[in-house]
Amino acid sequence: MVVRRLYYFLSFVCLPLTLLLGFYWPPAYWLLAVLIPYAIVGMYDMLTTKHNVLNNYPVLGHFRYMLEFVSPEIRQYFVETNENGRPYNRIIRSLVYSRAKGQMDTQAFGTQYDILSAGYHRANHSLAPKDVPESEERVMLGGPQCTKPYNASRLNVSAMSFGALSANAIRALNGGAKDGGFAHNTGEGGLSPHHLAEGGDIIWQIGTGYFGCRTPDGGFDKDKFAEKAQMDVVKAIEIKLSQGAKPSHGGVLPAAKVDEEIAFIRGVPQHQDVISPPTHSAFEGPTGLMHFVQHLREMSGGKPIGFKLCIGRSSEFMAICKAMLETGILPDFITVDGAEGGTGAAPVEFTNRLGTPLNEALIFVNNCLRGVGLRDKIRIICSGKVATGYDMVEKFALGADMCNAARAMMFAVGCIQALHCNTNRCPSGVATQDPIRGRAVNVPQKRKRVHRYHDATLKSFRELLGAMGKEKVADLHPGDIHRRTADETERSYADLYAFVDEGVLLNGPVPDVFAEDWKTASAQHF
């Protein structure tokens, strides 16, 4: 190997010669500042078996790992184009930043997307545009069994826990929610003091770890729940069944983020990975879920109760629908999380290979609720890469009533998509528990950006809705959204998917595409 020969030459020939030369010309000793560290590092590299590359390429091989360490930044800043970044491309990130800062959000010289590529989505405009009232920006959350409904914004902060995000990031999000009159979902990490510090409306998420209402052995503590659920700032409660980025896995908070404060809030040991169980211990099966919904509704004083899930086996969600019919208990809302949803930490295979994408999941959930005659009694909230006014129009057309945004809201408080959320080394101070890094999030400034982004996105949504000739969200339907297909044509979602009539799963005939799953579904078990 040439590099090894170079090492032998510099260490065993040049180093002794330099020492000899120094006797006659002392300035030569300055070369030892390079040669001695080079010889020591190279010797370590050749004696170690940890890295094959360093063993074969002593000293020089370290440059490979240095470049690998900064390769995400190199790709983001110098390689990726405006439209091909992942998970969010530069076009979307720049749009969120501009709206959050109150800067110009227009674009010059036409679209940068390939509008003829397979998978491209669009909507049709109208020559008779409408003026959409601001009242369409809000919707009532709370079904017939709810005594304290909540007048919610169509766009809210999606579930992100304190622990996954820094204290200042949580405060900025909640402050923005307070200023803009929208809701902030706590995530499964519990109702922390930082969620309450700014006074924004709260949707309290209860996960399988029951953080914030947890017994010492990890079970559900009804007394702790009732105490917090009845707080005026808590407007609704969401039971987390599964998450799009890591379905059937449970939440993951790396040990590096579990400091004394996090451990106290969650009721867990310090400096250990916090991995929530994949399933709930407070109930079993679909019928048990419905009774748990009713139990929480009673203990909260009649507030809206719903659940969040990523769609997996179709028969299992149908089993929940059968449990609603059998028990007569209805959730006030269902949050549908798409497989494209984000997270701070998750096993790679779970993130990449499990779960149903949001559009397909929305259509399925909407079909099931229509099929059992309950769609008008239950709100559907969606989450999963919702960032723009068009995203909202698209999701509403496919069956959603409300949208939650997580990563877009993170961009508004300063996230740069560095992809270090799971390391505790977030460079922007958003997804870290390092107090020094976290201080970078200026709460008074960033809460204004969250508020501005929210309002600008809703304004864009109303403008798009009006441009399509619609006056109300209820006027949207799947035929309004078109997707480019691989055969170089395009089809609307009304043509791509089957849609059921009201009550068809009860009264028949059940469409073939749903028949087997509906037959298999049981209200007693998943």
Side-chain angles (χ1 to χ4, degrees):
M1 298 290 291
V2 174
V3 175
R4 270 181 169 251
R5 295 193 189 104
L6 176 64
Y7 170 78
Y8 294 141
F9 175 74
L10 292 176
S11 299
F12 300 110
V13 177
C14 291
L15 182 58
L17 287 176
T18 300
L19 292 170
L20 181 62
L21 180 61
F23 282 110
Y24 302 99
W25 187 54
Y29 284 129
W30 284 104
L31 288 173
L32 297 178
V34 176
L35 291 175
I36 291 177
Y38 177 84
I40 294 173
V41 171
M43 182 62 68
Y44 173 81
D45 290 343
M46 288 194 298
L47 292 178
T48 187
T49 58
K50 187 176 180 180
H51 296 291
N52 295 359
V53 171
L54 296 180
N55 194 271
N56 283 331
Y57 299 91
V59 183
L60 189 63
H62 286 279
F63 287 98
R64 184 261 183 196
Y65 295 102
M66 292 168 59
L67 291 172
E68 182 183 53
F69 182 76
V70 298
S71 63
E73 288 76 15
I74 291 174
R75 287 195 300 271
Q76 186 179 51
Y77 297 132
F78 302 108
V79 178
E80 75 174 34
T81 64
N82 283 348
E83 72 276 9
N84 69 1
R86 295 288 186 275
Y88 283 81
N89 63 36
R90 193 181 301 274
I91 295 173
I92 300 301
R93 299 199 307 268
S94 297
L95 179 63
V96 175
Y97 295 145
S98 297
R99 288 178 171 169
K101 295 174 183 178
Q103 298 175 346
M104 182 173 61
D105 63 353
T106 55
Q107 176 174 297
F109 228 62
T111 181
Q112 297 181 33
Y113 288 110
D114 180 3
I115 64 175
L116 298 181
S117 62
Y120 181 79
H121 286 72
R122 70 169 189 85
N124 281 329
H125 65 283
S126 170
L127 294 178
K130 306 293 185 181
D131 185 17
V132 178
E134 289 189 8
S135 60
E136 286 300 304
E137 294 182 356
R138 306 196 73 83
V139 63
M140 194 61 69
L141 191 66
Q145 298 172 356
C146 172
T147 58
K148 292 183 179 178
Y150 172 54
N151 186 23
S153 170
R154 295 273 188 182
L155 178 64
N156 300 284
V157 181
S158 195
M160 292 181 285
S161 304
F162 171 58
L165 300 193
S166 66
N168 279 13
I170 292 292
R171 291 173 65 110
L173 290 169
N174 193 257
K178 171 68 173 179
D179 298 340
F182 53 100
H184 179 193
N185 191 307
T186 65
E188 68 172 306
L191 185 58
S192 75
H194 307 294
H195 287 102
L196 303 173
E198 308 299 324
D201 291 347
I202 291 292
I203 295 176
W204 183 18
Q205 186 181 92
I206 307 297
T208 55
Y210 304 115
F211 303 122
C213 53
R214 176 185 175 96
T215 62
D217 62 354
F220 176 68
D221 189 318
K222 62 180 182 179
D223 294 327
K224 289 182 180 178
F225 171 82
E227 178 185 355
K228 296 177 181 178
Q230 293 182 30
M231 298 171 63
D232 289 340
V233 73
V234 176
K235 303 301 182 182
I237 292 91
E238 178 181 82
I239 305 163
K240 177 184 174 183
L241 301 181
S242 62
Q243 179 179 351
K246 47 194 173 192
S248 296
H249 187 275
V252 178
L253 186 65
K257 290 186 174 183
V258 187
D259 59 15
E260 182 179 358
E261 183 180 25
I262 293 292
F264 174 76
I265 291 171
R266 297 198 177 198
V268 296
Q270 293 183 48
H271 309 305
Q272 295 183 21
D273 289 340
V274 180
I275 303 177
S276 304
T279 59
H280 281 266
S281 60
F283 61 87
E284 292 184 3
T287 302
L289 170 61
M290 291 302 103
H291 288 297
F292 191 58
V293 165
Q294 182 62 22
H295 191 36
L296 298 189
R297 186 181 286 128
E298 292 170 355
M299 289 190 294
S300 68
K303 293 180 179 179
I305 310 294
F307 58 85
K308 172 183 177 178
L309 80 169
C310 175
I311 297 298
R313 291 180 176 176
S314 300
S315 60
E316 293 180 346
F317 182 77
M318 288 182 170
I320 295 176
C321 293
K322 285 188 175 181
M324 296 179 198
L325 298 171
E326 183 173 303
T327 62
I329 301 170
L330 304 180
D332 297 291
F333 63 92
I334 297 172
T335 302
V336 182
D337 200 19
E340 60 270 55
T343 184
V348 174
E349 296 91 343
F350 278 73
T351 294
N352 290 343
R353 302 297 177 182
L354 290 185
T356 304
L358 181 54
N359 284 359
E360 286 79 359
L362 274 177
I363 292 170
F364 173 72
V365 170
N366 193 51
N367 267 330
C368 288
L369 294 181
R370 282 180 55 84
V372 295
L374 297 176
R375 179 63 184 90
D376 61 333
K377 298 177 178 63
I378 300 172
R379 297 296 186 191
I380 297 177
I381 306 174
C382 73
S383 61
K385 295 192 75 173
V386 175
T388 69
Y390 173 78
D391 294 334
M392 295 181 66
V393 168
E394 180 177 289
K395 307 315 176 193
F396 293 153
L398 299 182
D401 297 299
M402 298 163 57
C403 294
N404 285 348
R407 286 168 289 183
M409 294 291 183
M410 291 173 65
F411 292 146
V413 296
C415 169
I416 61 171
Q417 195 170 279
L419 308 181
H420 290 313
C421 310
N422 58 332
T423 66
N424 208 33
R425 298 194 303 271
C426 171
S428 63
V430 176
T432 180
Q433 289 306 297
D434 184 327
I436 297 176
R437 292 174 183 265
R439 284 204 305 263
V441 180
N442 183 301
V443 175
Q445 181 189 80
K446 301 304 182 183
R447 69 183 287 170
K448 292 179 182 177
R449 294 190 178 186
V450 172
H451 179 195
R452 279 195 293 256
Y453 164 69
H454 170 269
D455 287 2
T457 303
L458 280 178
K459 179 183 176 183
S460 170
F461 146 69
R462 285 195 294 116
E463 289 177 344
L464 284 167
L465 187 62
M468 296 168 65
K470 314 287 186 179
E471 291 183 328
K472 300 179 294 184
V473 170
D475 295 334
L476 289 166
H477 55 84
D480 291 320
I481 306 301
H482 299 261
R483 187 172 73 187
R484 198 80 182 176
T485 55
D487 62 358
E488 299 187 0
T489 62
E490 67 174 20
R491 300 170 66 190
S492 77
Y493 271 83
D495 296 326
L496 287 168
Y497 292 90
F499 293 87
V500 304
D501 295 328
E502 190 79 16
V504 73
L505 295 179
L506 301 178
N507 305 318
V510 178
D512 292 342
V513 68
F514 301 109
E516 186 61 32
D517 288 322
W518 181 249
K519 180 181 178 181
T520 302
S522 168
Q524 307 308 317
H525 57 80
F526 289 118

